[in-house]
Amino acid sequence: MTRRERQEQIDKGLLLPLMEEFYTIQGEGFHKGTAAYFVRIGGCDVGCHWCDVKESWLAELHPPTEAEKIVENAVKYSNTIVVTGGEPLMWDLNPLTSQLKAKGVQTHIETSGAYKLSGTWDWICLSPKKMKLPTKEVCEKAHELKCIIYNKDDFRFAEEQAEKVNKDCILYLQPEWSKRDKVVPQIVDYVMKNPKWKVSLQTHKYLNIP
């Protein structure tokens, strides 16, 4: 395959920069505690300074992998497939999800929502970032809003984002891991005063699993 042909395949979503894939327990949000197969796609230009997978940012570091092969491997492990990143919506995810749905599995995505929504999803976890705000379409279709709390200004940002999502979207506040000892008491206090919100924790880190 020539470089041009490969790029055409990437542009169509037939090849995706696969960083890693693994079977584990979903640690965050509504589906925490659920066994799921994670597909982490490389590439992200949102640039969160506290990102815990900065190695995912450069797509060119991760091998372009056939969507068909990703699907074949994923469905061996679970009927719940979580596509994450990086920022997965930088890529056309229609081929990947159409093949996953043809296998009868549940498709979940974790995204900042900064790019056009592609793919067919049973669950959309929107985790918006100040550096690159989510699109209106992703906000309107999100099933859960997960706002990361690193400092007190993040509560203001969370409320702004909560105004954008649909009325059925579940609202979560999650401590940034390195600041958890400081911000967890603040989150608990905030949720008790504003019970439309729920607390989300990175339980997989407490369990010491991927």
Side-chain angles (χ1 to χ4, degrees):
M1 183 183 299
T2 66
R3 181 177 299 179
R4 180 177 178 180
E5 289 172 336
R6 173 173 289 191
Q7 188 58 52
E8 288 177 351
Q9 295 282 292
I10 291 172
D11 292 342
K12 293 177 181 178
L14 299 173
L15 290 175
L16 295 167
L18 180 65
M19 177 183 167
E20 61 178 344
E21 49 187 338
F22 52 93
Y23 185 44
T24 188
I25 301 295
Q26 170 62 272
E28 305 174 9
F30 183 79
H31 292 282
K32 66 181 179 296
T34 302
Y37 193 78
F38 278 69
V39 174
R40 188 182 302 282
I41 300 173
C44 184
D45 62 358
V46 178
C48 304
H49 63 91
W50 39 255
C51 177
D52 55 3
V53 280
K54 287 186 171 70
E55 59 272 28
S56 71
W57 289 5
L58 294 177
E60 55 266 30
L61 296 180
H62 309 294
T65 305
E66 293 178 8
E68 184 177 357
K69 289 185 177 179
I70 296 173
V71 171
E72 287 178 359
N73 195 45
V75 298
K76 295 175 184 177
Y77 294 88
S78 180
N79 61 2
T80 299
I81 312 300
V82 181
V83 179
T84 186
E87 175 41 66
L89 288 181
M90 289 181 68
W91 315 100
D92 184 350
L93 299 177
N94 287 307
L96 178 68
T97 58
S98 65
Q99 293 178 58
L100 286 169
K101 295 309 294 179
K103 298 288 187 179
V105 301
Q106 295 286 299
T107 54
H108 297 193
I109 187 172
E110 298 180 352
T111 176
S112 69
Y115 286 86
K116 180 181 178 180
L117 184 64
S118 63
T120 302
W121 305 103
D122 296 294
W123 194 265
I124 298 173
C125 172
L126 170 61
S127 185
K129 307 299 186 294
K130 296 175 184 175
M131 299 76 77
K132 201 159 188 166
L133 296 175
T135 67
K136 181 180 179 182
E137 182 185 17
V138 179
C139 289
E140 291 176 345
K141 293 186 177 181
H143 298 90
E144 67 179 290
L145 173 71
K146 183 176 67 183
C147 292
I148 309 302
I149 304 300
Y150 182 82
N151 56 40
K152 288 187 176 180
D153 185 63
D154 292 328
F155 291 104
R156 174 199 60 78
F157 178 71
E159 290 292 351
E160 286 182 356
Q161 301 311 301
E163 291 294 319
K164 300 177 182 179
V165 296
N166 66 80
K167 64 181 178 60
D168 296 320
C169 187
I170 305 169
L171 307 179
Y172 288 105
L173 298 175
Q174 179 171 295
E176 195 279 321
W177 181 252
S178 70
K179 296 287 185 179
R180 63 191 182 280
D181 291 341
K182 178 180 180 180
V183 301
V184 163
Q186 297 173 10
I187 292 174
V188 169
D189 183 61
Y190 194 90
V191 170
M192 291 179 72
K193 292 177 180 176
N194 302 273
K196 69 179 181 181
W197 292 95
K198 299 177 185 291
V199 179
S200 174
L201 297 174
Q202 292 180 292
T203 58
H204 57 292
K205 293 188 176 181
Y206 290 100
L207 295 172
N208 195 32
I209 57 176

